[in-house]
């Protein structure tokens, strides 16, 4: 049980409360004076926790699995959670008193708060004695004695001399409630209220029956006129209103982004499956002789790479070309039943209402109707034999060239199978050893008899399975070179018969305690879910999982934690940006299955996933509620949500029906006086209902509304003093309430192309901590001077402007010396792309800038570009001078995108030795470009060239085609002569070429 990690989070939250500038200063100062020893220095609590660690360390595996030990650990856990809730309830009570009584708060009611502080102090002082009490209880049960650090033996009772008092624990959630006092059990555990029937309910918030997570529809992201989520290729038509049809298309796009089932090219080499992928793609694009569905089964033991192989096949361009949008992926858990799988499939291949109200008996026929409309590929990942028996009849009548791909650990017997069983082979010893050394960070390995014995021992432990090799090697990579060998030998001596489960356990057990809650948090996402890295890091911050360090931004600390988990292979990067930075990540299914019980044991969250056919009651004192299915009865008993600190919804059942249940939940929480919610993440939930008094959620840190298409925000959002993240990207919100300028802790603001209207008499120190401002629209009425120019700490800025004079705006941007990512788009009054003024951009002071995206006419390319730039995108710049000599001098440039009319000349020359780090080059819609030359030693690391609609360009430089680094050439809508010239240059080359013909569409310029 992760008691250390939980204790660390609790202590950090206490520190945060002590630094609260919003609560009454006199009360907080009194609280600081009384709690300085117990909290600020952590001395008393840390001594108790250190002893707790020693007790756990002295407990052997058999004792840890005993019911007595589990009960003992649960008491410790409840004590920690209760302290957390008590302190935050205290802060909530002070805030509500201040809001309710206004001027009286500094007079009569302040004495009441002092008394509350005294009671809180008594509770805090009892934490060590309570921990010692449960330790002694364990000692008594096991016949062992444990001594404190001073050598004395602890016994039952209060070591601090403060006896528990009836009525000590004051309920500050509702000051006027007649039931505001709770009695304390003096005879047993002094921190648990009697009126919560804890002994009568399961202590684990996640039920033992873990139902399959719902999956959203996946459809391929075809080559369109956009490079990625943030980049939109445009034509020159004015902006139009978004219709209902386009709104639904946006919903589909949002679904694609969430469930990409993408893979990293590096995985093909790690698992040595590149040839297997090629062979399987060819097999899956064939049709059985009788026209029935071809079924291919991938079989292998845990950690052999079955899912990785299936994912690589599923993401193949040839598969997408063959099946189009008729692709669906379902990851199946052991507890999944037939209805779960069929509903999941209907979400992906049907329409929004295909599955919502169907009975289990109606599901098969409805799915068959959808599948018979077109050719499809369905992947059933980790299907068991008994599950397949109930599913195979659904696909028996398909005679349209469709295909099924199964991954299994045990052989299943399909009704028909054209191809033979695909067994995932183990890696060879030579390849396994090479992979291990690479992951462990060893450049060389000593050739001696002793090291040869150790090498064979390692290969035997890993059993030539990729997952075992990667996890063990990644664990060793975290150690210094001088300690690595001793550490490895110690690990190998700890056990004789190793299995994959043991190596997974080893990787998790050896995590620093501050990373354990971070990785456990990933389990609340659906299995094999592609998690946006941006979303995950901000959630970790809002949950309080990141220890604050002096003079270091919390965002930098959380990024270090993420990088550490990636290095340890506990988190897998599932999608990269063009510049190689991680965009999406996932938790491997094997790790998900291993970590789920651990998350259950500390009551980390409860997943509500029942449908109309079943019941899933929320347990008492649930801390995090994760919703996967709509059910009105979940909100019938709001008292169960008293200690709710996070609510995340993945309920995407209907794309056209507003999610009113969310408003019901929040209203009940607020009306009951509960206000401990820190995270409200509704990303992807269609138009959730938000209560007008949302601002009463005093502790709220994270409000995620991306892809909700919400129309408005309650004005009370400005009353959320601790709000750190507000994400309303991809919504219909046109204006934010002016009250938001009061948010002193807001750090990340993602908008959907809207203005920020600052009040005339607003605080000069408005939004002092804002780091991200993305999706901002600036026009002649927007306050730049004495407004936006107060925001000087931005790290990310995405701005669209419509200004006759943009001097003030560009001057402000030139002062943002902390800026790392900048996107600027210029438009005129009718929505056409416009210009950046007559003066060249001045970016020389932005030394930290790494990403630059400019849309609009430039007088010339700035010569003083920041030397740290890694990614540059230019659109409609209309440059007349060749930009390559300037861009080629940037030493760290990885990705260069020259899009529509960014350059109007006929010739570009890449200078000698230039572009030394360039990996990706995109040339799109350069209508006048005829000639492209590359001089010696230029672009020597280029991996991908993407050319589209350059109608006068005749060929690609032969020097590039000869480079070994070049792996991929994508050609779209190019004339026949160009294609033939490229093919001639390719003679004997291993380069992969993709030829595409895309029907031109009218792309809207969205601001």
């Amino acid at each position: 049980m992760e008691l250390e990690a939980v204790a660390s989070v609790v202590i950090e939250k206490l520190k945060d409360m002590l630094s609260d500038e919003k609560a009454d200063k006199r009360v907080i100062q009194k609280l600081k004076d009384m709690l300085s020893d117990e909290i600020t220095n952590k001395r008393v609590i840390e001594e108790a926790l250190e002893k707790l660690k020693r007790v756990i360390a002295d407990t052997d595996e058999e004792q840890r699995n005993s019911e007595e030990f589990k009960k003992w650990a649960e008491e410790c856990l409840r004590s920690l959670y209760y302290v957390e809730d008590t302190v935050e309830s205290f802060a909530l009570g002070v805030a509500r008193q201040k809001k309710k009584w206004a001027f009286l708060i500094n007079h009569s009611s302040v004495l009441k708060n002092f008394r509350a502080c005294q009671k809180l102090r008594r509770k805090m002082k009892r934490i060590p004695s309570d921990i010692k009490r449960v330790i002694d209880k364990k000692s008594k049960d096991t016949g062992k004695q444990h001594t404190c650090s001073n050598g004395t033996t602890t016994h039952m009772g209060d070591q601090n001399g403060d006896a528990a008092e009836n009525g000590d624990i004051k309920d500050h959630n509702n000051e006027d409630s007649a039931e505001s006092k709770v009695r304390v059990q003096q005879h047993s555990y002094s921190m648990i209220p009697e009126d919560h029937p804890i002994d009568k309910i399961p202590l684990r918030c996640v039920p033992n029956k873990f139902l399959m997570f719902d999956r959203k529809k996946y459809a391929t992201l075809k080559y369109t006129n956009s490079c990625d989520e943030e980049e939109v290729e445009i034509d020159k038509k004015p902006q139009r209103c978004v219709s209902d049809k386009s709104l639904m298309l946006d919903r589909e796009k949002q679904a694609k982004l969430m469930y990409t089932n993408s893979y990293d090219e590096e995985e093909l080499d790690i698992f040595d499956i590149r040839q297997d992928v090629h062979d399987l793609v060819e097999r899956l694009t064939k049709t059985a002789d009788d026209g029935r569905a071809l079924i291919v089964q991938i079989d292998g033991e845990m950690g052999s790479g079955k899912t990785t192989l299936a994912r690589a096949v599923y993401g193949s361009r040839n598969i997408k070309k063959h099946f189009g949008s008729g692709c669906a992926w379902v990851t199946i858990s052991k507890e999944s039943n037939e209805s779960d799988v069929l509903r999941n499939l209907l979400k992906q291949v049907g329409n929004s209402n295909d599955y919502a109200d169907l009975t289990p008996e109606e599901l098969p026929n409805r799915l068959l109707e959808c599948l018979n409309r077109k050719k499809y590929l369905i992947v059933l990942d980790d299907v068991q034999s008994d599950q397949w028996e109930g599913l195979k009849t659904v696909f028996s009548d398909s005679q349209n060239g469709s295909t099924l791909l199964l991954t299994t650990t045990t052989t299943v017997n399909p009704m028909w199978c054209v191809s033979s069983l695909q067994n995932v082979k183990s890696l060879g010893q030579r390849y396994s050893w090479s992979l291990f050394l690479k992951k462990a960070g060893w450049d060389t390995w000593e050739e001696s008899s002793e090291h040869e014995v150790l090498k064979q021992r390692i290969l035997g432990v890993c059993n030539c399975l990729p997952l075992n090799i990667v996890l063990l090697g990644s664990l060793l990579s975290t150690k210094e070179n001088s300690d690595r060998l001793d550490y490895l030998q110690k690990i190998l001596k700890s056990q004789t018969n190793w299995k994959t489960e043991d190596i997974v356990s080893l990787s998790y057990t050896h995590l620093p305690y501050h990373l354990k809650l971070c990785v456990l948090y990933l389990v609340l996402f659906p299995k094999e879910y592609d998690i946006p890295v941006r979303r995950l890091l901000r959630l970790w911050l809002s949950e309080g999982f990141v220890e604050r360090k002096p003079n270091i931004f919390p965002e930098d600390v959380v990024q270090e934690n993420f990088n550490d988990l990636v290095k340890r292979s506990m988190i897998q990067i599932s999608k990269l940006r063009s510049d190689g930075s991680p965009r999406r990540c996932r938790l491997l299914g094997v790790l998900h299955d291993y970590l789920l019980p651990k998350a259950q044991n500390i009551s980390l969250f409860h997943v509500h996933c029942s449908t109309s056919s079943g019941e899933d009651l929320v347990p008492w004192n649930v801390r995090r509620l994760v919703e996967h299915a709509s059910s009105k009865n979940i909100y019938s008993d709001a008292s169960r949500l008293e200690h709710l600190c996070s609510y995340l919804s993945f309920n995407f059942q209907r794309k056209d029906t507003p999610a009113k249940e969310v408003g019901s939940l929040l209203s009940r929480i607020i009306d009951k006086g509960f206000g401990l919610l820190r995270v409200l993440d509704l990303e992807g939930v269609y138009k959730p209902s938000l209560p007008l008094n949302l601002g009463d959620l005093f502790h709220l840190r994270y409000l995620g509304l991306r892809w909700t298409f919400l129309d408005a925000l309650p004005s009370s959002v400005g009353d959320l003093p601790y709000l750190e993240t507000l994400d309303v990207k991809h919504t219909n919100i046109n204006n934010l309430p002016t009250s938001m300028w009061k948010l002193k802790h807001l750090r990340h603001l993602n908008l959907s192309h809207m203005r920020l209207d600052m009040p005339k008499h607003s605080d000069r120190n408005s939004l002092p901590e804002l780091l991200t401002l993305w999706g901002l629209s600036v026009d002649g009425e927007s306050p730049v001077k004495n407004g936006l120019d107060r925001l000087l700490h931005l790290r990310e800025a995405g701005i669209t402007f419509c200004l006759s004079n943009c001097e003030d705006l560009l001057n402000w941007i030139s002062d943002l010396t902390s800026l790392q990512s900048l996107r600027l788009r210029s438009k005129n009054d009718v929505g056409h792309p416009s210009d950046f003024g007559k003066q060249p951009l001045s970016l020389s002071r932005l030394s930290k800038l790494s990403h630059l995206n400019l849309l609009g006419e430039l007088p010339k390319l700035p010569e003083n570009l920041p030397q740290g730039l890694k990614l540059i995108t230019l659109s409609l710049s209309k440059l007349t001078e060749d930009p390559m000599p300037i861009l080629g001098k940037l030493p760290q440039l990885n990705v260069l995108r020259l899009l529509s009319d960014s350059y109007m000349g006929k010739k570009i020359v890449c200078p000698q030795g230039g572009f030394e780090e360039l990996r990706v080059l995109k040339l799109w819609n350069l209508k006048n470009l005829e000639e492209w030359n590359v001089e010696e030693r230029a672009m020597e690391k280029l991996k991908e060239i993407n050319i589209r609609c350059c109608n006068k360009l005749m060929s690609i430089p032969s020097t590039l085609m000869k480079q070994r680094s070049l792996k991929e050439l994508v050609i779209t809508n190019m004339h026949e002569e160009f294609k033939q010239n490229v093919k001639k240059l390719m003679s004997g080359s291993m380069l992969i070429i993709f030829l595409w013909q895309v029907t031109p569409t009218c792309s809207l310029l969205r601001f």
Side-chain angles (χ1 to χ4, degrees), residues 263-285 296 298 305-319 405 422-425 992:
Y263 68 96
D264 184 358
E265 277 287 329
E266 185 184 4
E267 288 182 330
L268 304 187
D269 296 322
I270 288 177
F271 290 88
D272 194 22
I273 57 174
R274 193 174 292 276
Q275 185 60 44
D276 292 336
V277 172
H278 178 269
D279 294 343
L280 261 180
V281 168
E282 282 197 346
R283 188 182 306 174
L284 292 174
T285 51
V296 176
I298 303 176
K306 302 181 300 296
T307 300
T308 300
L309 174 57
R311 190 180 288 120
V313 170
Y314 188 83
S316 164
R317 281 189 170 101
N318 288 334
I319 288 290
L405 180 61
Q422 176 81 26
N423 289 302
V424 179
K425 60 182 183 297
I992 300 175

Side-chain angles (χ1 to χ4, degrees), residues 471-648:
L471 287 178
L472 184 58
S474 299
L475 176 60
L476 291 173
S477 71
T478 63
K479 303 300 178 183
E480 297 293 335
N481 287 336
S482 57
D483 303 329
R484 199 173 296 164
L485 195 59
D486 292 338
Y487 183 67
L488 174 60
Q489 291 174 328
K490 183 179 178 181
I491 288 174
L492 297 180
K493 290 178 182 178
S494 65
Q495 193 168 328
T496 53
N497 298 319
W498 288 82
K499 298 179 180 179
T500 298
E501 295 90 335
D502 300 319
I503 296 180
V504 170
S505 176
L506 180 74
S507 299
Y508 174 76
T509 305
H510 284 245
L511 281 177
Y513 72 87
H514 68 278
L515 294 181
K516 287 188 175 179
L517 278 184
C518 290
V519 75
L520 285 176
Y521 196 76
L522 274 73
V523 182
L524 63 78
F525 290 91
K527 192 173 180 180
E528 297 287 350
Y529 184 87
D530 272 356
I531 308 168
V533 174
R534 167 263 318 163
R535 182 181 186 183
L536 178 64
L537 299 191
R538 294 181 187 177
L539 284 171
W540 280 350
L541 283 170
S542 301
E543 293 282 6
F545 290 168
V546 180
E547 184 177 358
R548 310 279 170 155
K549 297 182 180 180
N551 303 321
I552 301 179
F553 280 96
E555 286 76 10
D556 294 334
V557 178
V558 75
Q559 185 67 54
E560 289 176 4
N561 291 354
F562 177 81
N563 294 342
D564 195 351
L565 287 170
V566 171
K567 183 178 182 180
R568 294 169 179 267
S569 298
M570 298 298 288
I571 292 180
Q572 182 185 43
I573 302 302
S574 57
K575 188 174 184 181
L576 294 169
R577 298 181 184 273
S578 297
D579 63 346
S581 61
R583 172 170 236 146
R584 293 178 181 272
C585 64
R586 66 165 67 96
L587 189 67
L588 288 176
V590 174
L591 291 173
H592 189 285
D593 294 340
Y594 171 79
L595 294 173
L596 177 59
K598 295 189 176 296
Q600 293 172 334
N601 287 339
I602 60 171
S603 303
L604 189 64
F605 57 84
H606 167 76
V607 176
H608 167 244
C609 49
S610 68
T611 59
S612 57
S613 61
E615 187 76 11
D616 182 21
L617 291 178
V618 176
W620 286 97
N621 295 330
V622 60
R623 310 192 67 76
R624 293 175 184 85
L625 182 59
V626 184
E627 187 177 8
H628 290 273
S630 178
S631 179
K632 295 181 180 179
N633 57 32
I634 190 176
Y635 314 117
S636 58
D637 188 1
S639 60
R640 295 174 180 265
L641 306 176
E642 179 178 359
H643 301 291
L644 187 68
C645 61
S646 299
Y647 176 78
L648 298 91

Side-chain angles (χ1 to χ4, degrees), residues 699-716:
H699 287 290
L700 195 65
R701 262 80 169 170
Y702 184 100
L703 182 55
L705 301 172
R706 183 176 294 217
W707 289 110
T708 60
F709 300 97
L710 203 63
D711 295 316
L713 274 180
S715 60
S716 62

Side-chain angles (χ1 to χ4, degrees), residues 60-97:
D60 58 36
E61 191 66 27
E62 183 178 352
Q63 288 178 324
R64 292 188 189 189
N65 293 328
S66 68
E67 289 301 318
E68 290 80 9
F69 182 87
K70 291 178 182 178
K71 290 180 181 179
W72 170 81
E74 284 164 352
E75 286 192 46
C76 293
L77 182 68
R78 282 184 287 189
S79 176
L80 290 169
Y81 280 155
Y82 195 74
V83 170
E84 177 184 0
D85 294 339
T86 301
V87 173
E88 295 205 340
S89 295
F90 167 82
L92 177 64
V94 171
R96 287 185 172 170
Q97 282 188 31

Side-chain angles (χ1 to χ4, degrees), residues 739-751:
S739 62
M740 62 154 294
W741 288 99
K742 298 185 297 181
L743 301 176
K744 300 297 184 184
H745 295 285
L746 191 66
R747 303 178 72 83
H748 306 286
L749 179 59
N750 291 84
L751 307 174

Side-chain angles (χ1 to χ4, degrees), residues 91 216 219 221 269 292 390 394 407 448 485 489 496 499 508 535 580 589 684 807 821 843 861 979 999:
K216 190 65 178 168
L221 287 176
D269 296 322
R292 291 190 172 189
V394 178
T407 71
S448 66
L485 195 59
Q489 291 174 328
T496 53
K499 298 179 180 179
Y508 174 76
R535 182 181 186 183
E807 183 177 351
S821 180
L843 304 175
L861 188 66
K979 296 177 186 178
T999 302

Side-chain angles (χ1 to χ4, degrees), residues 626-827:
V626 184
E627 187 177 8
H628 290 273
S630 178
S631 179
K632 295 181 180 179
N633 57 32
I634 190 176
Y635 314 117
S636 58
D637 188 1
S639 60
R640 295 174 180 265
L641 306 176
E642 179 178 359
H643 301 291
L644 187 68
C645 61
S646 299
Y647 176 78
L648 298 91
S649 180
F650 299 93
N651 177 25
F652 313 129
Q653 286 195 83
R654 291 182 178 272
K655 305 167 187 171
D656 53 0
T657 304
K660 297 181 179 180
E661 295 86 354
V662 175
S664 174
L665 168 70
L666 298 176
S667 295
R668 286 177 179 270
I669 289 175
I670 295 172
D671 293 344
K672 283 283 187 179
F674 309 151
L676 303 185
L677 201 68
R678 296 172 68 95
V679 170
L680 181 58
D681 188 355
L682 304 174
E683 186 165 327
V685 178
Y686 184 67
K687 291 192 175 182
S689 174
L690 299 179
L692 295 177
N693 55 349
L694 183 70
D696 286 348
L697 297 174
F698 173 76
H699 287 290
L700 195 65
R701 262 80 169 170
Y702 184 100
L703 182 55
L705 301 172
R706 183 176 294 217
W707 289 110
T708 60
F709 300 97
L710 203 63
D711 295 316
L713 274 180
S715 60
S716 62
V717 71
D719 297 329
L720 300 169
Y722 290 111
L723 190 65
E724 296 175 349
T725 294
L726 176 59
D727 192 342
V728 293
K729 188 175 181 180
H730 301 300
T731 66
N732 297 326
I733 298 173
N734 295 319
N735 292 290
L736 290 180
T738 56
S739 62
M740 62 154 294
W741 288 99
K742 298 185 297 181
L743 301 176
K744 300 297 184 184
H745 295 285
L746 191 66
R747 303 178 72 83
H748 306 286
L749 179 59
N750 291 84
L751 307 174
S752 193
H753 308 298
M754 68 182 73
R755 289 172 43 189
L756 285 180
D757 295 322
M758 179 180 288
K760 292 183 179 180
H761 303 292
S762 62
D763 187 351
R764 293 282 305 175
N765 198 29
S766 298
L767 306 180
E769 298 185 10
L770 194 65
L771 301 178
T772 301
L773 179 56
W774 203 266
L776 175 67
S777 182
V778 176
D779 57 27
E781 299 180 8
S782 302
V784 178
K785 274 194 172 182
N786 300 318
L788 292 173
D789 60 357
R790 302 177 190 175
L791 309 176
L792 295 176
H793 304 295
L794 293 180
R795 289 182 161 195
E796 299 179 41
I799 302 170
T800 298
F801 61 91
C802 177
L803 297 168
S804 57
N805 186 341
C806 53
E807 183 177 351
D808 290 340
L809 174 69
L810 299 181
N811 286 340
W812 165 51
I813 290 173
S814 68
D815 290 334
L816 299 177
T817 55
S818 298
L819 207 60
Q820 298 173 4
S821 180
L822 173 64
R823 186 180 72 182
L824 282 177
R825 295 179 171 182
S826 175
K827 70 168 186 176

Side-chain angles (χ1 to χ4, degrees), residues 10-42 87-88 90-91 117 120 124 698-699 701 722 745:
V10 171
I11 292 172
E12 282 300 313
K13 288 182 178 180
L14 299 184
K15 283 184 175 181
D16 286 346
M17 196 194 75
L18 288 177
S19 61
D20 174 23
E21 298 177 357
K22 286 293 181 182
D24 189 275
K25 293 183 179 179
R26 296 173 64 185
V27 176
I28 293 299
Q29 186 57 50
K30 184 72 175 177
L31 184 63
K32 287 182 178 180
D33 293 341
M34 292 190 294
L35 297 182
S36 58
D37 286 340
E38 286 80 1
I39 300 176
T40 306
N41 296 327
K42 303 184 294 181
V87 173
E88 295 205 340
F90 167 82
C117 287
L120 181 61
M124 294 301 301
F698 173 76
H699 287 290
R701 262 80 169 170
Y722 290 111
H745 295 285

